[in-house]
Amino acid sequence: MKIQAPKGTKDVLPEESYIWQYVESKFRQICKLYGYQEVRFPTFEYTELFQRGVGETTDIVQKEMYTFLDKGGRSITLRPEGTASVARLFIEHGFASRPMPQRLYYIISAFRYENTQGGRYREFHQFGIENFGSKSPVTDAEIISLSYNFFVSLGLDNIVVNINSIGCPVCRKDYVKNLKEYFLGYYDKLCPTCKQRLDKNPMRILDCKEDNCKLIAQDAPKPIEYLCDECKTHFEALKGYLDAAGVCYRVDPYIVRGLDYYTKTVFEIVDVVLDKELAICGGGRYDNLIEQIGGSSTPGIGFAIGVERLIMLLSQKGLIPQKPQVPQVFVATLGDLATKKAFEIASTLRFEGISTVIEELSRSLKSQMKYADKLGCDFSVIIGDDEIEKGVCKLRNMKTSSEEVVRIESLAQYIKSKI
Ligand code: ATP
Ligand code: MG
């Protein structure tokens, strides 16, 4: 039986890998512009990190984690997201004593055992940002603007940032009490998962994807109506800064986000595809996360972008740039002496930054040209014993099939002037 890639995973072929490189380089560029630096961390962590960091009552921890015992009997989990790991890294390396705030970014694969419909994968990728050490709404506005401008730099000009505030533990107490009472009135109509949520984390019901629960949630009390003075001031200030930064946003009082650690600001960036809103970025403030996993109290805020979804969106909108031509030049050879010369020529061309391949299979000239054509090369360099003696080569323009004789020492400059 043929072995296939596991369900929910995806190979990235050369036809597509350049798109990944493109979005990655754009993301690195914007991070640099906003003063963010990259961190890299393990693909797996001790399970406890996510149980405490993501939260026991979340979908991720309850049903989506890839967890197993390693040979030493330790419970290990493949990272389902990045924030908990970056928070762990922050504590482990004593980042609290570095200048604040700390601005960090990452590009990772993440693993969730999910149904694989609708563009969902079991291994997927995220671009993420975390800012630690600032409580100020200026920081909320900065990271939202970073993300917004990243999408704009990719040509997405129709995006909207949906923002909300879910308050802090102080204002949430009163809110959750009222929310519970509201949902209790509809207990029989809630889905089985939400029935459980009602007890453990009723706010999660607002995030349920079941139609019935969505309908009931429509008239539920909103966190924004219960904000304490501090949270209210924070939210108002954020809106003011977003206006100043020219970010297009909308208050959506029903965003609660899927993770337990959020406080105050939560947001999603969406684009509209075929009349449906598609979330490509989710984030929020998590002022209690570092403490929750054993560090000293440090505020933080971050977001994650789903890379597969982003690429899908770019392709639906015709925003994928043309694939760069690789290789640009094919060096054809006739005979052993010419093969040796081909190494020399190829290395000079590569030194000059021209992407070059040489014939490796000793085929006939006709087959070599067919191959160069299939590769899409701009030029082929043809060398035989005759040409070597004269210090020249034939340069064939693969688009027009015209050929000219060029001196080997001026070949690189000549090709550069033509491509
Ligand atoms: P959803 O409510 O759609 O399940 P989420 O709250 O689980 O989203 P986050 O944890 O915030 O998502 O992850 C950030 C982004 O990562 C999402 O906006 C989405 O684009 C992407 N993402 C999340 N899960 C998957 C998956 N299984 N496959 C592909 N992309 C994903
Ligand atoms: Mg999810």
Side-chain angles (χ1 to χ4, degrees), residues 179-199 201-218 220:
L179 190 66
K180 240 182 193 169
E181 264 165 32
Y182 171 84
F183 280 128
L184 263 177
Y186 296 93
Y187 186 81
D188 291 341
K189 295 198 173 115
L190 293 174
C191 75
T193 321
C194 281
K195 281 186 173 129
Q196 285 177 10
R197 285 173 175 147
L198 188 58
D199 211 28
N201 195 343
M203 257 167 76
R204 185 95 331 112
I205 301 175
L206 300 176
D207 203 34
C208 184
K209 311 273 188 306
E210 297 284 331
D211 287 341
N212 236 350
C213 300
K214 268 194 194 161
L215 212 67
I216 298 169
Q218 263 177 21

Side-chain angles (χ1 to χ4, degrees), residues 60 64 112 114 120:
I60 294 181
E64 295 172 1
R112 296 185 196 174
E114 297 207 64
R120 280 181 190 278

Side-chain angles (χ1 to χ4, degrees), residues 304-335:
I305 293 169
V307 185
E308 282 79 1
R309 237 179 258 185
L310 172 64
I311 291 179
M312 189 181 82
L313 190 65
L314 291 176
S315 104
Q316 279 170 348
K317 303 221 160 188
L319 292 171
I320 306 272
Q322 241 198 341
K323 186 176 183 296
Q325 175 50 39
V326 171
Q328 297 162 294
V329 173
F330 178 80
V331 183
T333 57
L334 297 165

Side-chain angles (χ1 to χ4, degrees), residues 268-370:
E268 277 175 4
I269 300 188
V270 299
D271 200 325
V272 179
V273 185
L274 306 170
D275 281 344
K276 263 186 85 181
E277 279 196 355
L278 186 76
I280 41 175
C281 174
R285 184 164 270 289
Y286 44 80
D287 290 345
N288 301 316
L289 172 64
I290 296 273
E291 210 171 352
Q292 212 163 301
I293 60 171
S296 57
S297 175
T298 312
I301 177 163
F303 68 69
I305 293 169
V307 185
E308 282 79 1
R309 237 179 258 185
L310 172 64
I311 291 179
M312 189 181 82
L313 190 65
L314 291 176
S315 104
Q316 279 170 348
K317 303 221 160 188
L319 292 171
I320 306 272
Q322 241 198 341
K323 186 176 183 296
Q325 175 50 39
V326 171
Q328 297 162 294
V329 173
F330 178 80
V331 183
T333 57
L334 297 165
D336 192 38
L337 199 64
T339 301
K340 285 179 186 145
K341 194 73 188 168
F343 279 112
E344 214 180 292
I345 293 175
S347 102
T348 310
L349 295 182
R350 288 167 185 153
F351 186 79
E352 292 294 332
I354 301 165
S355 165
T356 307
V357 297
I358 63 174
E359 168 64 3
E360 290 165 50
L361 299 178
S362 308
R363 286 171 285 205
S364 71
L365 185 60
K366 197 169 158 209
S367 313
Q368 291 185 44
M369 287 305 100
K370 244 194 208 158

Side-chain angles (χ1 to χ4, degrees), residues 88-329:
R88 195 248 331 124
L89 173 154
F90 180 92
I91 299 169
E92 189 166 336
H93 298 276
F95 271 44
S97 61
R98 297 192 179 200
M100 292 291 156
Q102 281 291 308
R103 300 180 183 84
L104 308 171
Y105 83 86
Y106 57 81
I107 295 180
I108 57 164
S109 52
F111 306 84
R112 296 185 196 174
Y113 194 80
E114 297 207 64
N115 287 330
T116 53
Q117 298 110 351
R120 280 181 190 278
Y121 295 94
R122 291 183 174 172
E123 180 184 24
F124 64 101
H125 297 78
Q126 290 188 332
F127 295 159
I129 287 282
E130 316 291 351
N131 180 306
F132 292 105
S134 164
K135 270 205 260 199
S136 166
V138 172
T139 306
D140 306 34
E142 267 284 279
I143 74 146
I144 290 174
S145 127
L146 186 163
S147 173
Y148 184 81
N149 285 322
F150 168 60
F151 295 124
V152 170
S153 80
L154 293 168
L156 293 166
D157 47 14
N158 221 351
I159 46 168
V160 176
V161 185
N162 288 325
I163 60 169
N164 191 23
S165 175
I166 56 169
C168 63
V170 176
C171 37
R172 211 174 292 163
K173 241 186 229 147
D174 205 24
Y175 171 63
V176 167
K177 202 174 123 243
N178 280 281
L179 190 66
K180 240 182 193 169
E181 264 165 32
Y182 171 84
F183 280 128
L184 263 177
Y186 296 93
Y187 186 81
D188 291 341
K189 295 198 173 115
L190 293 174
C191 75
T193 321
C194 281
K195 281 186 173 129
Q196 285 177 10
R197 285 173 175 147
L198 188 58
D199 211 28
K200 289 190 198 139
N201 195 343
M203 257 167 76
R204 185 95 331 112
I205 301 175
L206 300 176
D207 203 34
C208 184
K209 311 273 188 306
E210 297 284 331
D211 287 341
N212 236 350
C213 300
K214 268 194 194 161
L215 212 67
I216 298 169
Q218 263 177 21
D219 291 318
K222 310 172 179 85
I224 214 167
E225 294 161 350
Y226 289 78
L227 297 183
C228 64
D229 285 347
E230 190 197 316
C231 290
K232 212 183 277 171
T233 312
H234 187 100
F235 196 50
E236 290 308 313
L238 167 63
K239 290 192 278 184
Y241 293 136
L242 289 179
D243 288 331
V247 170
C248 173
Y249 71 92
R250 187 163 65 191
V251 175
D252 176 347
Y254 290 107
I255 304 176
V256 291
R257 308 279 309 122
L259 312 175
D260 263 1
Y261 48 60
Y262 288 113
T263 48
K264 290 189 176 132
T265 309
V266 287
F267 66 95
E268 277 175 4
I269 300 188
V270 299
D271 200 325
V272 179
V273 185
L274 306 170
D275 281 344
K276 263 186 85 181
E277 279 196 355
L278 186 76
I280 41 175
C281 174
R285 184 164 270 289
Y286 44 80
D287 290 345
N288 301 316
L289 172 64
I290 296 273
E291 210 171 352
Q292 212 163 301
I293 60 171
S296 57
S297 175
T298 312
I301 177 163
F303 68 69
I305 293 169
V307 185
E308 282 79 1
R309 237 179 258 185
L310 172 64
I311 291 179
M312 189 181 82
L313 190 65
L314 291 176
S315 104
Q316 279 170 348
K317 303 221 160 188
L319 292 171
I320 306 272
Q322 241 198 341
K323 186 176 183 296
Q325 175 50 39
V326 171
Q328 297 162 294
V329 173

